[in-house]
């Protein structure tokens, strides 16, 4: 059995994190699939999907790390006028952060529930917002 | 066909790596699934799952890199008393390293065997041990 | 339904990126699977699979970032004579970059087409070329 869903997140700032675990759970329940895997993938190249503990202090440390490794103010090749964008691109760091944290996750599905550790939460990361963002949820199993 | 397993690793140190490929292979054999994919996901937010060549020198270089990018002694927001933990948290770097290396991997399953390159091994990474850690293995296919 | 394919890329330089999205799409069409997921995994520990926007300027910024985080000229433990290689290993940085960007991706498959954002392209990254490289494509669904 295969179920496909698309969900949307309105991100609130240029750099923004949103918990999406509950929304994913709702779609798992809706799917009727009891055992298998759940794939969660962002449709955007300036966003990420991670699994970590949903504490503000951890997300703040993550924010610092991603801004240290990938400097907002570095000289980027991507920072030039792009005819396809119709404007000067200023989101090179967003692409780089997206590649570092990854754009998808896979979760076990057991007896109708996602099998995750107590501290684990699925988090959507925006690196070039605020924007309306799309996330694909695929649930595969029996 | 869907098979779900949970395996456990007793990590030996605060920062510790363990080869889990053979254990995953045993569960693939047990599952009876011949073709499909194998998903391997840790249940913890201070751990990682990677695929690399199982050489001590590479793991040592990885250790150095993860300690350079994510400094043990940096000032972390997460380093404060957390009522839900009942203690002062001191594992911010573990969360960050987990996010950088990722918490899951997917492997091809062909004719009853995991299709991997000769040099590839599945490795469990502990960033806040020693602890007993859980890993989910899901095998989906025919 | 499960379909497994192996594709090959001849990389052109030590550090090299190749778009493989079109090749993956051809195999999706060939598979006859209409809905499910597509797993793309490299067979090598010095390579990566990422999803980002296929612009030279972004790939150049990524190149810079990976060479800043993981220095070609650092002292690596892995840089010694390895009997199993029959030569002195000089690709520690390749392993590290591979772990940072990840060695696989998962894509949604809907009505016979990969569901991806407009800007998303699947990219194979070589960190120790030029070599002939293998990539596993698994398509699972209905």
């Amino acid at each position: 059995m295969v179920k496909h869903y698309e969900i949307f997140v309105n991100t609130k700032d240029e750099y923004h994190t949103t918990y999406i675990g509950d929304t994913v759970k709702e779609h798992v329940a809706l799917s009727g699939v009891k055992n298998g895997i759940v794939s969660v993938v962002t449709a955007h190249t300036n966003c990420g999907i991670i699994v970590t503990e949903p504490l503000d202090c951890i997300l703040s440390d993550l924010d610092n790390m991603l801004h240290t490794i990938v400097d907002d103010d570095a000289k980027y090749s991507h920072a030039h006028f792009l005819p396809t964008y119709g404007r000067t691109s200023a989101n090179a760091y967003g692409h780089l952060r997206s590649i570092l944290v990854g754009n998808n996750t896979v979760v076990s599905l057991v007896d109708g529930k996602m099998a995750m550790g107590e501290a684990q939460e699925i988090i959507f990361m925006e690196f070039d917002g605020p924007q309306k963002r799309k996330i694909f949820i695929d649930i595969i199993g029996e």
Side-chain angles (χ1 to χ4, degrees), chain A residues 4-89:
Chain A
H4 175 79
Y5 301 99
E6 301 187 357
I7 63 171
F8 295 89
V9 169
N10 288 300
T11 60
K12 305 295 182 197
D13 207 341
E14 202 206 7
Y15 179 103
H16 182 78
T17 50
T18 317
Y19 304 142
I20 58 169
D22 284 348
T23 309
V24 177
K25 275 177 206 162
E26 287 166 17
H27 288 82
V28 166
L30 200 63
S31 75
V33 183
K34 295 301 180 195
N35 293 283
I37 56 169
V38 180
S39 162
V40 183
V41 187
T42 172
H44 306 280
T45 56
N46 278 285
C47 301
I49 305 272
I50 64 166
V51 171
T52 194
E53 194 173 359
L55 294 174
D56 286 350
C57 48
I58 290 173
L59 295 178
S60 165
D61 290 331
L62 176 58
D63 181 340
N64 284 340
M65 181 187 75
L66 289 174
H67 282 83
T68 301
I69 298 179
V70 182
D71 187 356
D72 274 6
D73 300 321
K75 286 200 107 174
Y76 293 110
S77 303
H78 187 44
H80 63 92
F81 183 81
L82 284 166
T84 51
Y85 284 28
R87 60 177 171 81
T88 296
S89 166

Side-chain angles (χ1 to χ4, degrees), chain A residues 63-136:
Chain A
D63 181 340
N64 284 340
M65 181 187 75
L66 289 174
H67 282 83
T68 301
I69 298 179
V70 182
D71 187 356
D72 274 6
D73 300 321
K75 286 200 107 174
Y76 293 110
S77 303
H78 187 44
H80 63 92
F81 183 81
L82 284 166
T84 51
Y85 284 28
R87 60 177 171 81
T88 296
S89 166
N91 61 5
Y93 46 75
H95 293 284
L96 301 182
R97 287 171 192 147
S98 171
I99 293 165
L100 279 177
V101 304
N103 80 337
N104 73 90
T105 197
V106 173
V107 182
S108 295
L109 176 59
V110 183
D111 295 334
K113 289 194 177 162
M114 289 198 290
M116 300 181 75
E118 280 175 37
Q120 288 185 311
E121 166 71 83
I122 305 173
I123 295 171
F124 180 80
M125 303 196 73
E126 168 69 81
F127 301 125
D128 187 34
Q131 293 197 50
K132 185 179 181 184
R133 298 300 204 173
K134 185 157 70 175
I135 300 158
F136 302 120

